[in-house]
Amino acid sequence: MTKEDIKVLIIGSGPAGYTAAIYAARAGLKPVLYMGEQPGGQLTITNDVENYPGYPEGINGPQMMMDFQQQAERFGTDVRTGLATKVDFSVYPHKVIIDDKHEITAEAVIVSTGASAKWLGLPSEQRLNGQGVSACAVCDGFFFRNMDVAVVGAGDTACEEATYLSKLCKKVYMIVRRDEMRASKIMQKRVLNASNIEVLWNTQTQDILGEQEVEGVRLINTSTNEVTEIPVQGFFVAIGHKPNTDIFKGYLDMDENGYIKTIPGSSKTNIEGVFAAGDAQDHVYRQAVTAAGTGCMAALDAERFLASKEVELAE
Ligand SMILES: Cc1cc2nc3c(=O)[nH]c(=O)nc-3n(C[C@H](O)[C@H](O)[C@H](O)COP(=O)(O)OP(=O)(O)OC[C@H]3O[C@@H](n4cnc5c(N)ncnc54)[C@H](O)[C@@H]3O)c2cc1C
């Protein structure tokens, strides 16, 4: 095992990680950033980002993340390939193992490992991802104005996505597997009160139709076995997200779904010197701009933490 001591380690290369890197590098902290298995993060699988400020014409997701990386590197961030595979936050400086072979001790660690949308697992869903299939209504709903769309899911998020889409789209079909929803009563009420949302109970998606883009969806009614096809142009999967936080379990406080808990109004976790930013700690907003915002917070919190440590040592 090779060993290395550094000041600031950033785990993850999405908007949160790169923004933390820009701030930490400009503060002279010489951050090292590991990109993980998805360099650039979730935005690398989307074509059009139209809601990130500063790009009036919109921007292609992979290009935007290359811009983030270049900006972080310009100020001296050491951007590396590699996956954090194990941590030990019970010691200080904190230990993080990269690719099971490189041991880093870091005075401050910024966790920005993001989250991954859960998918149904249909081949057509993968093939048409970004061509009408989406896991984010706030991100992509705008592209389906005045069109017909379907939302799959039965929790609060699915209800929220359907309600959001109902204000933009002509018709929203909500595909619900059982004869009831998991969502809270208030969220269900909003869905049921919307005149252009039709809930399809006891229904499962068999296939998403279309070659180049979504043209419809084939459904099966699980109580009658009846198969139907409905024409839609957008297909939104809202069956949940999984934060990429498994390696931090046992050290960082998390909610029941694995989202890291931070002290409100800060990026501080329960462990001194470990900060969390982006979707790994945010199940509410899940946007690039909020991830970037909390990345900035994490770098500033880390910088202040390190400055206070230096004062402690000097005394
Ligand atoms: C298809 C799609 C379209 C979207 N469109 C928009 C949009 O138009 N506008 C918008 O604002 N938001 C959009 N979003 C949401 C946005 O992408 C996320 O909110 C944002 O990317 C979260 O940033 P993040 O930095 O927290 O994490 P992510 O972007 O999820 O990045 C996480 C990073 O952590 C790395 N990582 C994970 N585990 C490890 C590990 N163990 N070691 C090292 N690295 C690790 C990954 O490789 C990745 O680089 C979209 C999301 C999707 C899926």
Side-chain angles (χ1 to χ4, degrees):
M1 178 98 50
T2 48
K3 295 193 179 195
E4 183 184 14
D5 297 329
I6 64 168
K7 234 179 170 55
V8 176
L9 173 67
I10 300 170
I11 311 175
S13 56
Y18 280 136
T19 305
I22 292 164
Y23 277 78
R26 293 188 78 250
L29 297 173
K30 297 189 174 46
V32 172
L33 178 150
Y34 278 93
M35 294 195 282
E37 283 171 341
Q38 191 177 35
Q42 292 174 63
L43 283 182
T44 56
I45 59 162
T46 189
N47 287 326
D48 302 295
V49 181
E50 291 193 335
N51 53 11
Y52 197 87
Y55 292 104
E57 303 304 324
I59 174 91
N60 164 276
Q63 180 59 52
M64 177 169 154
M65 294 321 297
M66 280 194 274
D67 292 347
F68 268 65
Q69 181 176 346
Q70 269 179 21
Q71 194 172 351
E73 284 177 330
R74 182 179 151 215
F75 299 110
T77 306
D78 184 351
V79 177
R80 302 179 184 173
T81 54
L83 186 73
T85 43
K86 201 166 178 252
V87 301
D88 184 355
F89 292 157
S90 67
V91 291
Y92 189 83
H94 301 300
K95 272 192 194 153
V96 177
I97 311 290
I98 305 295
D99 293 332
D100 293 320
K101 59 180 188 214
H102 184 57
E103 181 182 297
I104 289 192
T105 44
E107 291 173 39
V109 177
I110 295 174
V111 176
S112 47
T113 47
S116 311
K118 291 185 190 161
W119 299 99
L120 297 173
L122 299 167
S124 52
E125 177 188 51
Q126 247 184 347
R127 181 166 47 82
L128 294 166
N129 206 317
Q131 310 300 325
V133 173
S134 169
C136 177
V138 174
C139 312
D140 296 328
F142 188 77
F143 301 119
F144 300 96
R145 273 164 303 153
N146 303 320
M147 296 185 198
D148 294 344
V149 298
V151 176
V152 183
D156 276 347
T157 306
C159 288
E160 211 166 276
E161 304 268 279
T163 312
Y164 181 86
L165 289 166
S166 72
K167 296 185 183 121
L168 293 169
C169 303
K170 202 156 74 184
K171 169 110 193 187
V172 179
Y173 296 96
M174 195 164 167
I175 303 166
V176 176
R177 199 155 41 121
R178 290 187 289 163
D179 60 358
E180 57 181 3
M181 290 192 211
R182 272 182 298 111
S184 58
K185 288 276 169 284
I186 174 92
M187 294 304 294
Q188 291 194 38
K189 209 167 153 193
R190 275 187 212 158
V191 164
L192 300 171
N193 283 347
S195 58
N196 61 344
I197 302 181
E198 181 178 341
V199 181
L200 305 173
W201 303 100
N202 296 311
T203 303
Q204 280 190 7
T205 307
Q206 272 196 336
D207 208 4
I208 306 159
L209 310 171
E211 279 308 312
Q212 306 300 326
E213 53 190 31
V214 172
E215 289 169 7
V217 58
R218 185 180 304 127
L219 304 168
I220 180 160
N221 183 305
T222 49
S223 42
T224 62
N225 278 338
E226 192 194 349
V227 175
T228 48
E229 287 183 6
I230 52 168
V232 290
Q233 291 79 53
F235 185 81
F236 289 83
V237 181
I239 55 173
H241 281 75
K242 187 184 181 313
N244 307 317
T245 56
D246 285 353
I247 59 165
F248 309 109
K249 281 195 177 131
Y251 295 104
L252 299 183
D253 285 350
M254 296 178 189
D255 71 9
E256 66 279 8
N257 295 316
Y259 285 92
I260 297 168
K261 286 187 183 169
T262 50
I263 296 171
S266 82
S267 67
K268 294 176 191 164
T269 68
N270 57 305
I271 303 269
E272 226 194 18
V274 180
F275 306 89
D279 285 13
Q281 53 84 55
D282 169 21
H283 60 92
V284 179
Y285 301 105
R286 287 197 300 248
Q287 292 294 292
V289 70
T290 46
T294 52
C296 159
M297 288 165 66
L300 293 178
D301 286 341
E303 185 198 346
R304 284 165 199 169
F305 166 75
L306 292 171
S308 70
K309 276 262 161 210
E310 267 171 35
V311 172
E312 254 175 51
L313 284 175
E315 278 168 1

